[in-house]
Amino acid sequence: MSAIAMDRPSRWLDGRMSGQDMADALGCDVEFINGVMDSWSRCSLSTAPAGGTQGVQTCIRLAVAHALYATGGMTVQDAAAVSASSWQVSASLLKLLEFRPRGVRPGENDLAGRGGADPLMLFAPHAAEAIPVAAVDEYLDVADGRRVYWRKPRRDAYALACDIQRLSDASRRDDTPALQEEYLELLARLREPEDHVCEWIGTVADGRFRPAPDRFAERSPAMRQGLFDGESRSFAESYATKVSVNVSLAARSMKRRALGLAVIDPLKRSAVRKGNGQA
């Protein structure tokens, strides 16, 4: 393994990602990184630590911006505006991307990504496919290309990860049937359909993001909205178009590439198999 590949985990964890590092981790060109950074500088978002390298929070914002651009169909400027302003989304993603169990202070779990705490196995070398995890993944839903909603599991994903970590540690110390049963039940939740809460966080246009008047208290005016009196339409039916962007998946795929781990899109793999005549 080359010295550059061996240094990838350190550069991610120590906040030493260069522009080229981040472009490689996102699978894009440096021009996209520069475009987002330029948009951030115009909206006064502080992004860069000393030395011109980037930390994890900046990388998460970049992953969100790239996902909104590549999957959500936004312009670079609009995607940058949303990622800069939706700081609560990136803070929420950080909890699982750089997982620390409850009671562990920053700096005490710096082995995450090098074999440290990873209860959901998001960064295990064998977990190579870019598969959504229903119980933990968060989304930004973009309606009509402008109205942005934050959708996430109703049950606390971080609490689930902490419980899995706790039971994993306990079962190694005392492998009893009761512990094993509880542990397996929690693991099963990772693939079960999850009920979501959805919050309107704002509207984007022309490179500017206007936050919702009160993103904590106000209900979206379009969550239940009918064209005619007495007619109630679902969220998905209230708009001409709606795109769901899995920002959790975007962030962890970026980290996996940064750590030198594989990221394989299962849809592309299926297409290759069909092309080779395999079922």
Side-chain angles (χ1 to χ4, degrees):
M1 182 180 295
S2 68
I4 293 177
M6 292 178 66
D7 189 46
R8 280 174 175 169
S10 296
R11 283 184 287 174
W12 173 272
L13 295 167
D14 298 341
R16 295 186 293 114
M17 298 283 285
S18 68
Q20 188 61 58
D21 289 335
M22 292 183 294
D24 291 343
L26 285 174
C28 67
D29 52 39
V30 177
E31 284 71 20
F32 175 82
I33 304 296
N34 294 337
V36 173
M37 293 287 188
D38 183 58
S39 294
W40 284 349
S41 67
R42 289 199 298 270
C43 65
S44 301
L45 175 69
S46 177
T47 60
T53 56
Q54 308 299 324
V56 173
Q57 290 189 353
T58 298
C59 289
I60 292 175
R61 290 191 180 107
L62 273 170
V64 170
H66 185 258
L68 290 170
Y69 168 76
T71 304
M74 286 188 176
T75 65
V76 173
Q77 292 74 24
D78 283 356
V82 174
S83 65
S85 302
S86 54
W87 60 269
Q88 290 176 312
V89 177
S90 56
S92 182
L93 298 179
L94 181 65
K95 290 182 180 180
L96 291 185
L97 198 73
E98 300 296 309
F99 177 78
R100 291 187 179 92
R102 287 193 178 96
V104 175
R105 293 175 296 179
E108 292 183 358
N109 193 42
D110 288 339
L111 290 179
R114 298 187 182 123
D118 183 18
L120 304 181
M121 304 295 285
L122 300 177
F123 306 104
H126 64 268
E129 293 180 345
I131 297 177
V133 181
V136 303
D137 281 1
E138 303 180 23
Y139 295 80
L140 288 180
D141 292 342
V142 184
D144 287 341
R146 63 185 187 88
R147 193 179 290 274
V148 183
Y149 294 85
W150 179 18
R151 180 162 54 89
K152 58 182 178 177
R154 186 175 300 277
R155 294 182 290 187
D156 188 346
Y158 175 73
L160 172 62
C162 288
D163 287 340
I164 291 176
Q165 177 74 23
R166 172 181 57 80
L167 287 171
S168 176
D169 292 343
S171 63
R172 283 196 293 266
R173 294 191 302 267
D174 185 13
D175 190 9
T176 64
L179 279 175
Q180 285 289 334
E181 182 178 357
E182 187 178 1
Y183 183 48
L184 292 175
E185 286 179 356
L186 285 177
L187 291 179
R189 272 187 52 190
L190 296 178
R191 290 292 182 264
E192 293 175 354
E194 184 64 40
D195 185 29
H196 286 84
V197 293
C198 190
E199 176 188 2
W200 174 42
I201 61 174
T203 303
V204 64
D206 301 324
R208 294 186 177 183
F209 183 76
R210 292 187 292 107
D214 186 345
R215 65 176 63 186
F216 295 104
E218 182 169 329
R219 296 293 183 182
S220 161
M223 291 296 290
R224 290 285 179 181
Q225 178 174 303
L227 294 178
F228 307 102
D229 289 343
E231 179 187 353
S232 179
R233 305 179 68 194
S234 70
F235 168 53
E237 295 173 335
S238 297
Y239 302 95
T241 63
K242 178 177 75 72
V243 179
S244 293
V245 179
N246 188 330
V247 289
S248 296
L249 182 57
R252 65 174 175 266
S253 293
M254 181 182 188
K255 180 176 179 178
R256 284 189 62 85
R257 292 191 190 97
L259 298 181
L261 302 172
V263 178
I264 302 172
D265 187 331
L267 298 178
K268 291 181 180 179
R269 190 182 68 169
S270 297
V272 170
R273 286 182 172 179
K274 289 181 180 178
N276 292 334
Q278 298 179 13

